[in-house]
PDB file of all heavy atoms in Angstrom:
ATOM      1  N   SER A  22      61.514 121.240 177.264  1.00 41.00           N
ATOM      2  CA  SER A  22      61.164 121.407 178.678  1.00 41.00           C
ATOM      3  C   SER A  22      60.061 122.415 178.906  1.00 41.00           C
ATOM      4  O   SER A  22      59.315 122.326 179.870  1.00 41.00           O
ATOM      5  CB  SER A  22      62.410 121.816 179.473  1.00 41.00           C
ATOM      6  OG  SER A  22      62.898 123.051 178.992  1.00 41.00           O
ATOM      7  N   VAL A  41      52.786 114.617 167.584  1.00 98.00           N
ATOM      8  CA  VAL A  41      53.085 113.476 168.426  1.00 98.00           C
ATOM      9  C   VAL A  41      54.591 113.425 168.669  1.00 98.00           C
ATOM     10  O   VAL A  41      55.372 113.314 167.727  1.00 98.00           O
ATOM     11  CB  VAL A  41      52.636 112.150 167.784  1.00 98.00           C
ATOM     12  CG1 VAL A  41      53.028 110.967 168.680  1.00 98.00           C
ATOM     13  CG2 VAL A  41      51.136 112.153 167.539  1.00 98.00           C
ATOM     14  N   ALA A  44      59.033 109.371 172.845  1.00 98.00           N
ATOM     15  CA  ALA A  44      60.279 109.152 173.589  1.00 98.00           C
ATOM     16  C   ALA A  44      60.768 107.734 173.312  1.00 98.00           C
ATOM     17  O   ALA A  44      60.020 106.769 173.462  1.00 98.00           O
ATOM     18  CB  ALA A  44      60.040 109.354 175.082  1.00 98.00           C
ATOM     19  N   PHE A  62      56.287 109.240 155.866  1.00 98.00           N
ATOM     20  CA  PHE A  62      55.007 108.551 156.079  1.00 98.00           C
ATOM     21  C   PHE A  62      54.138 109.264 157.116  1.00 98.00           C
ATOM     22  O   PHE A  62      52.898 109.242 157.016  1.00 98.00           O
ATOM     23  CB  PHE A  62      55.238 107.100 156.499  1.00 98.00           C
ATOM     24  CG  PHE A  62      55.916 106.263 155.446  1.00 98.00           C
ATOM     25  CD1 PHE A  62      56.853 105.300 155.789  1.00 98.00           C
ATOM     26  CD2 PHE A  62      55.610 106.439 154.102  1.00 98.00           C
ATOM     27  CE1 PHE A  62      57.479 104.530 154.825  1.00 98.00           C
ATOM     28  CE2 PHE A  62      56.225 105.676 153.111  1.00 98.00           C
ATOM     29  CZ  PHE A  62      57.166 104.724 153.479  1.00 98.00           C
ATOM     30  N   ALA A  92      53.915 109.853 173.495  1.00 98.00           N
ATOM     31  CA  ALA A  92      54.041 108.396 173.348  1.00 98.00           C
ATOM     32  C   ALA A  92      55.425 107.955 173.816  1.00 98.00           C
ATOM     33  O   ALA A  92      56.368 108.747 173.838  1.00 98.00           O
ATOM     34  CB  ALA A  92      53.801 107.977 171.905  1.00 98.00           C
ATOM     35  N   THR A  96      60.258  98.320 176.341  1.00 93.00           N
ATOM     36  CA  THR A  96      59.881  96.916 176.431  1.00 93.00           C
ATOM     37  C   THR A  96      58.540  96.735 177.143  1.00 93.00           C
ATOM     38  O   THR A  96      58.136  97.554 177.961  1.00 93.00           O
ATOM     39  CB  THR A  96      60.958  96.111 177.181  1.00 93.00           C
ATOM     40  OG1 THR A  96      61.162  96.696 178.471  1.00 93.00           O
ATOM     41  CG2 THR A  96      62.265  96.113 176.414  1.00 93.00           C
ATOM     42  N   THR A  99      58.636  96.755 180.916  1.00 94.00           N
ATOM     43  CA  THR A  99      58.788  98.090 181.500  1.00 94.00           C
ATOM     44  C   THR A  99      57.436  98.779 181.623  1.00 94.00           C
ATOM     45  O   THR A  99      57.153  99.443 182.629  1.00 94.00           O
ATOM     46  CB  THR A  99      59.757  98.945 180.664  1.00 94.00           C
ATOM     47  OG1 THR A  99      60.998  98.244 180.532  1.00 94.00           O
ATOM     48  CG2 THR A  99      60.017 100.287 181.327  1.00 94.00           C
ATOM     49  N   ALA A 110      49.721 105.611 180.195  1.00 98.00           N
ATOM     50  CA  ALA A 110      49.968 105.028 178.873  1.00 98.00           C
ATOM     51  C   ALA A 110      49.152 103.770 178.643  1.00 98.00           C
ATOM     52  O   ALA A 110      48.802 103.063 179.592  1.00 98.00           O
ATOM     53  CB  ALA A 110      51.455 104.713 178.720  1.00 98.00           C
ATOM     54  N   ILE A 112      49.367 100.495 175.672  1.00 98.00           N
ATOM     55  CA  ILE A 112      50.118  99.911 174.561  1.00 98.00           C
ATOM     56  C   ILE A 112      49.223  99.799 173.332  1.00 98.00           C
ATOM     57  O   ILE A 112      48.100  99.298 173.412  1.00 98.00           O
ATOM     58  CB  ILE A 112      50.658  98.532 174.956  1.00 98.00           C
ATOM     59  CG1 ILE A 112      51.657  98.661 176.109  1.00 98.00           C
ATOM     60  CG2 ILE A 112      51.289  97.833 173.766  1.00 98.00           C
ATOM     61  CD1 ILE A 112      52.081  97.332 176.706  1.00 98.00           C
ATOM     62  N   VAL A 144      73.152  87.554 186.102  1.00 97.00           N
ATOM     63  CA  VAL A 144      72.138  88.320 185.376  1.00 97.00           C
ATOM     64  C   VAL A 144      72.009  89.694 186.010  1.00 97.00           C
ATOM     65  O   VAL A 144      72.279  89.868 187.213  1.00 97.00           O
ATOM     66  CB  VAL A 144      70.771  87.578 185.385  1.00 97.00           C
ATOM     67  CG1 VAL A 144      70.216  87.475 186.792  1.00 97.00           C
ATOM     68  CG2 VAL A 144      69.774  88.246 184.449  1.00 97.00           C
ATOM     69  N   SER A 175      74.674  92.805 181.769  1.00 92.00           N
ATOM     70  CA  SER A 175      74.654  91.733 180.778  1.00 92.00           C
ATOM     71  C   SER A 175      76.006  91.513 180.112  1.00 92.00           C
ATOM     72  O   SER A 175      76.384  90.370 179.816  1.00 92.00           O
ATOM     73  CB  SER A 175      73.573  92.022 179.736  1.00 92.00           C
ATOM     74  OG  SER A 175      72.295  91.922 180.325  1.00 92.00           O
ATOM     75  N   THR A 213      66.251  83.691 172.408  1.00 94.00           N
ATOM     76  CA  THR A 213      64.963  84.301 172.061  1.00 94.00           C
ATOM     77  C   THR A 213      64.654  84.176 170.580  1.00 94.00           C
ATOM     78  O   THR A 213      63.824  84.912 170.055  1.00 94.00           O
ATOM     79  CB  THR A 213      64.961  85.790 172.441  1.00 94.00           C
ATOM     80  OG1 THR A 213      66.089  86.441 171.809  1.00 94.00           O
ATOM     81  CG2 THR A 213      65.022  85.983 173.941  1.00 94.00           C
ATOM     82  N   GLU A 238      41.820 109.117 166.352  1.00 97.00           N
ATOM     83  CA  GLU A 238      42.269 109.193 164.962  1.00 97.00           C
ATOM     84  C   GLU A 238      43.759 109.485 164.866  1.00 97.00           C
ATOM     85  O   GLU A 238      44.427 109.082 163.901  1.00 97.00           O
ATOM     86  CB  GLU A 238      41.470 110.244 164.186  1.00 97.00           C
ATOM     87  CG  GLU A 238      41.646 111.683 164.637  1.00 97.00           C
ATOM     88  CD  GLU A 238      40.788 112.079 165.827  1.00 97.00           C
ATOM     89  OE1 GLU A 238      40.093 111.211 166.374  1.00 97.00           O
ATOM     90  OE2 GLU A 238      40.810 113.281 166.177  1.00 97.00           O
ATOM     91  N   ASP A 267      72.831 105.529 160.684  1.00 92.00           N
ATOM     92  CA  ASP A 267      72.946 106.972 160.900  1.00 92.00           C
ATOM     93  C   ASP A 267      72.373 107.377 162.252  1.00 92.00           C
ATOM     94  O   ASP A 267      72.969 108.187 162.981  1.00 92.00           O
ATOM     95  CB  ASP A 267      72.225 107.731 159.776  1.00 92.00           C
ATOM     96  CG  ASP A 267      72.961 107.645 158.449  1.00 92.00           C
ATOM     97  OD1 ASP A 267      74.143 107.245 158.455  1.00 92.00           O
ATOM     98  OD2 ASP A 267      72.354 107.946 157.406  1.00 92.00           O
ATOM     99  N   GLU A 274      77.480  97.991 158.362  1.00 93.00           N
ATOM    100  CA  GLU A 274      77.760  96.575 158.622  1.00 93.00           C
ATOM    101  C   GLU A 274      77.288  96.171 160.023  1.00 93.00           C
ATOM    102  O   GLU A 274      76.711  95.098 160.209  1.00 93.00           O
ATOM    103  CB  GLU A 274      79.263  96.289 158.473  1.00 93.00           C
ATOM    104  CG  GLU A 274      79.791  96.385 157.050  1.00 93.00           C
ATOM    105  CD  GLU A 274      79.889  97.812 156.545  1.00 93.00           C
ATOM    106  OE1 GLU A 274      79.965  98.747 157.389  1.00 93.00           O
ATOM    107  OE2 GLU A 274      79.879  98.014 155.314  1.00 93.00           O
ATOM    108  N   TRP A 280      70.595  93.527 162.952  1.00 90.00           N
ATOM    109  CA  TRP A 280      69.286  93.242 162.357  1.00 90.00           C
ATOM    110  C   TRP A 280      68.930  91.766 162.461  1.00 90.00           C
ATOM    111  O   TRP A 280      67.763  91.400 162.624  1.00 90.00           O
ATOM    112  CB  TRP A 280      69.302  93.677 160.897  1.00 90.00           C
ATOM    113  CG  TRP A 280      67.955  93.845 160.286  1.00 90.00           C
ATOM    114  CD1 TRP A 280      67.287  92.949 159.507  1.00 90.00           C
ATOM    115  CD2 TRP A 280      67.108  94.990 160.387  1.00 90.00           C
ATOM    116  NE1 TRP A 280      66.068  93.465 159.121  1.00 90.00           N
ATOM    117  CE2 TRP A 280      65.944  94.718 159.649  1.00 90.00           C
ATOM    118  CE3 TRP A 280      67.227  96.224 161.030  1.00 90.00           C
ATOM    119  CZ2 TRP A 280      64.908  95.633 159.534  1.00 90.00           C
ATOM    120  CZ3 TRP A 280      66.188  97.131 160.912  1.00 90.00           C
ATOM    121  CH2 TRP A 280      65.052  96.837 160.176  1.00 90.00           C
ATOM    122  N   TYR A 294      49.510  89.093 167.739  1.00 94.00           N
ATOM    123  CA  TYR A 294      50.002  89.339 169.089  1.00 94.00           C
ATOM    124  C   TYR A 294      48.903  89.902 169.989  1.00 94.00           C
ATOM    125  O   TYR A 294      48.813  89.593 171.172  1.00 94.00           O
ATOM    126  CB  TYR A 294      51.180  90.311 169.011  1.00 94.00           C
ATOM    127  CG  TYR A 294      52.170  90.197 170.142  1.00 94.00           C
ATOM    128  CD1 TYR A 294      52.299  89.036 170.887  1.00 94.00           C
ATOM    129  CD2 TYR A 294      53.003  91.255 170.451  1.00 94.00           C
ATOM    130  CE1 TYR A 294      53.224  88.930 171.916  1.00 94.00           C
ATOM    131  CE2 TYR A 294      53.938  91.171 171.479  1.00 94.00           C
ATOM    132  CZ  TYR A 294      54.035  90.002 172.211  1.00 94.00           C
ATOM    133  OH  TYR A 294      54.943  89.907 173.231  1.00 94.00           O
ATOM    134  N   ASP A 298      38.757  89.861 170.497  1.00 90.00           N
ATOM    135  CA  ASP A 298      37.965  90.054 171.716  1.00 90.00           C
ATOM    136  C   ASP A 298      37.687  88.715 172.404  1.00 90.00           C
ATOM    137  O   ASP A 298      37.713  88.612 173.633  1.00 90.00           O
ATOM    138  CB  ASP A 298      36.638  90.741 171.373  1.00 90.00           C
ATOM    139  CG  ASP A 298      36.827  92.198 170.994  1.00 90.00           C
ATOM    140  OD1 ASP A 298      37.824  92.791 171.456  1.00 90.00           O
ATOM    141  OD2 ASP A 298      36.012  92.738 170.238  1.00 90.00           O
ATOM    142  N   THR A 312      53.966  91.506 185.070  1.00 95.00           N
ATOM    143  CA  THR A 312      53.347  92.076 186.270  1.00 95.00           C
ATOM    144  C   THR A 312      53.660  91.211 187.493  1.00 95.00           C
ATOM    145  O   THR A 312      54.031  91.720 188.562  1.00 95.00           O
ATOM    146  CB  THR A 312      51.822  92.188 186.083  1.00 95.00           C
ATOM    147  OG1 THR A 312      51.542  93.114 185.025  1.00 95.00           O
ATOM    148  CG2 THR A 312      51.145  92.674 187.357  1.00 95.00           C
ATOM    149  N   TRP A 315      57.417  91.704 188.505  1.00 92.00           N
ATOM    150  CA  TRP A 315      57.727  92.958 189.193  1.00 92.00           C
ATOM    151  C   TRP A 315      57.025  93.066 190.544  1.00 92.00           C
ATOM    152  O   TRP A 315      57.523  93.688 191.476  1.00 92.00           O
ATOM    153  CB  TRP A 315      57.367  94.144 188.312  1.00 92.00           C
ATOM    154  CG  TRP A 315      58.262  94.282 187.125  1.00 92.00           C
ATOM    155  CD1 TRP A 315      57.912  94.200 185.798  1.00 92.00           C
ATOM    156  CD2 TRP A 315      59.680  94.512 187.127  1.00 92.00           C
ATOM    157  NE1 TRP A 315      59.006  94.361 184.992  1.00 92.00           N
ATOM    158  CE2 TRP A 315      60.105  94.563 185.774  1.00 92.00           C
ATOM    159  CE3 TRP A 315      60.633  94.683 188.140  1.00 92.00           C
ATOM    160  CZ2 TRP A 315      61.435  94.771 185.426  1.00 92.00           C
ATOM    161  CZ3 TRP A 315      61.954  94.883 187.785  1.00 92.00           C
ATOM    162  CH2 TRP A 315      62.344  94.929 186.446  1.00 92.00           C
ATOM    163  N   MET A 339      42.445  97.808 161.954  1.00 95.00           N
ATOM    164  CA  MET A 339      43.179  98.190 160.747  1.00 95.00           C
ATOM    165  C   MET A 339      43.088  97.100 159.664  1.00 95.00           C
ATOM    166  O   MET A 339      43.149  95.915 159.963  1.00 95.00           O
ATOM    167  CB  MET A 339      44.651  98.450 161.079  1.00 95.00           C
ATOM    168  CG  MET A 339      44.884  99.712 161.886  1.00 95.00           C
ATOM    169  SD  MET A 339      46.633  99.970 162.300  1.00 95.00           S
ATOM    170  CE  MET A 339      47.294 100.341 160.672  1.00 95.00           C
TER     171      MET A 339
END
Side-chain angles (χ1 to χ4, degrees):
S22 61
V41 178
F62 296 142
T96 56
T99 305
I112 296 171
V144 65
S175 292
T213 55
E238 65 277 4
D267 289 345
E274 291 73 22
W280 198 262
Y294 207 23
D298 289 334
T312 296
W315 291 117
M339 289 178 69

